[in-house]
Amino acid sequence: MTEAAIPVLTIDGPSGSGKGTISRVVAGRLGWHYLDSGALYRAVGVAAGWADLDLDDAGALVRCAFDTGIGFRDDAAGELRVLVNGHDATDELRTETAGAAASAIAAIPEVRSALKERQRAFRKAPGLVADGRDMGTVIFPDAAFKVFLTASAEERAERRYKQLKDKGVSVTLDGLLREILARDARDASRAVAPLRPAEDAVRIDTTGQGIDSVVERVLALVPGRTA
Ligand code: C5P
């Protein structure tokens, strides 16, 4: 199969829109590969932290984006683990600190270019579900299937709150809502690859909707794949 013939389903949206969970389930149902592009930005942010790099030093961050070893593997429970320079950094990657670092470095155009080919390399047969902010607009503009998920900021903050509390992380709902709004504003207003739906994306508002119904709506877009 030529690369262009390998089908891609892009699922973009702001943090907490449910795209990570939905994308993983949809990829599993289709038997396709899965790309969590946010994990790449988070991994570079975490690696930059380990190396004590200044988040204003664009040159050093670009080198870090090229040099950081990033690997994915499923653990025994089927959970996706992320390895950064050989270390399992999954838990550290999920923190709000890592998210904020990712969002800051993701605004640097050269960092985005450094990660472009690494993301495209995930396009392998029989297909790819790619989750992020610019999957449908920049990384896979030729994708056959594009979805843009949204949800109210309040509901997104509540989802994050539950996730983090379950993991024993101490946070406040107010603080999370503020961080989510700040990250949305930064992601939507940056000059390169701002968060916006591709023109040909199907928009799905997940506010008040369960995972199963959103999964079914997404799968219905992929012909012959809903069984
Ligand atoms: O999706 P996730 O919350 O893990 O992404 C972390 C940050 O990485 C986002 O806030 C965004 O700034 C950046 N990102 C991006 N482009 C992507 C995926 C993530 O700019 N495709």
Side-chain angles (χ1 to χ4, degrees), residues 19 37-38 42 103 106 112 133-135 183 187 190:
K19 63 192 160 55
S37 63
R42 286 172 185 261
S103 170
R112 303 198 72 83
R133 304 290 190 291
D134 61 344
M135 297 297 98
R183 191 132 67 93
D187 289 348
R190 69 182 173 219

Side-chain angles (χ1 to χ4, degrees), residues 35-76:
L35 165 63
D36 173 1
S37 63
L40 300 184
Y41 288 94
R42 286 172 185 261
V44 175
V46 163
W50 291 346
D52 240 343
L53 300 184
D54 186 340
L55 286 185
D56 292 324
D57 185 347
L61 293 170
V62 172
R63 277 193 299 282
C64 184
F66 275 115
D67 296 345
T68 302
I70 309 170
F72 295 89
R73 66 175 170 78
D74 283 325
D75 66 11

Side-chain angles (χ1 to χ4, degrees), residues 14-160:
S15 64
S17 57
K19 63 192 160 55
T21 310
I22 304 291
S23 302
R24 270 194 304 277
V25 176
V26 167
R29 289 272 298 272
L30 293 169
W32 288 6
H33 298 278
Y34 168 56
L35 165 63
D36 173 1
S37 63
L40 300 184
Y41 288 94
R42 286 172 185 261
V44 175
V46 163
W50 291 346
D52 240 343
L53 300 184
D54 186 340
L55 286 185
D56 292 324
D57 185 347
L61 293 170
V62 172
R63 277 193 299 282
C64 184
F66 275 115
D67 296 345
T68 302
I70 309 170
F72 295 89
R73 66 175 170 78
D74 283 325
D75 66 11
E79 278 242 9
L80 188 69
R81 310 297 299 180
V82 189
L83 305 179
V84 180
N85 292 333
H87 304 282
D88 186 331
T90 315
D91 296 333
E92 190 172 345
L93 250 54
R94 289 196 184 116
T95 62
E96 283 306 304
T97 315
S103 170
I105 63 154
I108 303 169
E110 295 83 357
V111 168
R112 303 198 72 83
S113 314
L115 293 179
K116 206 180 243 182
E117 287 314 314
R118 291 179 89 155
Q119 295 173 84
R120 290 186 175 153
F122 280 78
R123 186 174 196 166
K124 293 205 177 97
L128 174 69
V129 177
D131 128 27
R133 304 290 190 291
D134 61 344
M135 297 297 98
T137 51
V138 177
I139 305 296
F140 301 108
D142 66 332
F145 315 106
K146 299 183 185 181
V147 171
F148 192 85
L149 295 183
T150 54
S152 71
E154 289 72 18
E155 181 151 332
R156 291 188 285 125
E158 266 167 41
R159 288 174 186 169
R160 277 298 283 162

